[in-house]
Amino acid sequence: EVQLVESGGGLVQPGESLRLSCAASGFIVSSNYMNWVRQAPGKGLEWVSMIYSSGTTYYADSVKGRFTISRDNSKNTLYLQMNSLRAEDTAVYYCAREGASTVGRFDPWGQGTLVTVSS
Amino acid sequence: QLVLTQSPSASASLGASVKLTCTLSSGHSSYAIAWHQQQPEKGPRFLMKLNSDGSHSKGDGIPDRFSGSSSGAERSLTISSLQSEDEADYYCQTWDTGIRVFGGGTKLTVL
């Protein structure tokens, strides 16, 4: 079964760091495009970052310079390192696969992990 | 700038049909989009990828009640024979090199 499971969320103070993980099963992370998408409480979906199968990475302007997307091929896992966290980064963070040959198709999505940034 | 515009809300009766629309920003009318459904307290689910010519490919297990169509810069999702479980938020999404964009979402209420 093709599946994504996020972990690593929690409560942190402004300025602190957190690393999210997205463990994949049923497919190879490095052969696909992978994305992080977040949803602030009561708000819509916001694209955060992506990594191509080539390893090229892209970020939304709102997180550029603070967040880093990466993957561990041996663990078939995607990561999002979040530094200098702000209150406005509070959200549920989802990872999603986007096939390199099916660009634009986010499928599947993970169940999400909640990040709360508050003092 | 690549932007998707959706109406914030829509409603329709149980068993009826509803058409949700997503509009691409000026200069981007040839772009394909994807539709995603998010039921209450759940993660999003891919529904379909919709091309500018109206052709579409659905996700696994998506019922035939869900269909897509295109006209100019508008991309539409039609849900027929509405069921209670169709009450959800619906997001359109598009892409370009190095960027992915979501619409603001439409909250569908089934009456």
Side-chain angles (χ1 to χ4, degrees), chain B residues 31-94:
Chain B
Y31 281 47
I33 70 156
W35 282 103
H36 304 277
Q37 177 195 60
Q38 187 177 32
Q39 293 173 320
E41 307 306 317
K42 289 189 174 182
R45 178 176 69 151
F46 170 78
L47 293 177
M48 69 178 67
K49 182 176 175 179
L50 176 60
N51 297 314
S52 59
D53 62 0
S55 61
H56 54 276
S57 58
K58 291 194 284 191
D60 294 342
I62 303 303
D64 292 342
R65 305 186 293 106
F66 290 81
S67 62
S69 60
S70 296
S71 177
E74 285 196 349
R75 306 285 181 266
S76 299
L77 172 70
T78 298
I79 312 171
S80 58
S81 302
L82 273 169
Q83 301 182 5
S84 57
E85 60 262 35
D86 297 332
E87 185 160 290
D89 294 325
Y90 291 84
Y91 293 92
C92 56
Q93 169 238 326
T94 192

Side-chain angles (χ1 to χ4, degrees), chain A residues 35-38 45-48 92-94 106 109, chain B residues 102:
Chain A
N35 290 267
W36 286 100
V37 176
R38 68 184 180 184
L45 301 174
E46 178 191 15
W47 175 75
V48 172
V92 174
Y93 285 73
Y94 298 99
F106 283 36
W109 294 72
Chain B
F102 287 90

Side-chain angles (χ1 to χ4, degrees), chain A residues 16-118:
Chain A
E16 292 187 340
S17 299
L18 203 59
R19 188 179 79 158
L20 306 182
S21 300
C22 170
S25 56
F27 71 96
I28 299 172
V29 165
S30 61
S31 298
N32 290 266
Y33 298 176
M34 297 296 297
N35 290 267
W36 286 100
V37 176
R38 68 184 180 184
Q39 186 171 35
K43 302 297 184 182
L45 301 174
E46 178 191 15
W47 175 75
V48 172
S49 180
M50 71 181 299
I51 182 167
Y52 280 2
S53 49
S54 65
T56 301
T57 59
Y58 296 97
Y59 300 91
D61 288 343
S62 57
V63 306
K64 201 172 294 183
R66 300 187 299 123
F67 290 11
T68 302
I69 190 172
S70 64
R71 66 192 182 207
D72 184 330
N73 296 344
S74 66
K75 295 183 178 179
N76 208 34
T77 299
L78 177 74
Y79 299 101
L80 186 67
Q81 176 68 41
M82 304 185 295
N83 298 332
S84 303
L85 282 162
R86 306 167 179 167
E88 54 265 36
D89 296 319
T90 294
V92 174
Y93 285 73
Y94 298 99
C95 59
R97 178 186 69 170
E98 180 183 356
S101 59
T102 55
V103 173
R105 175 173 173 150
F106 283 36
D107 185 26
W109 294 72
Q111 86 290 350
T113 186
L114 176 62
V115 173
T116 304
V117 184
S118 175

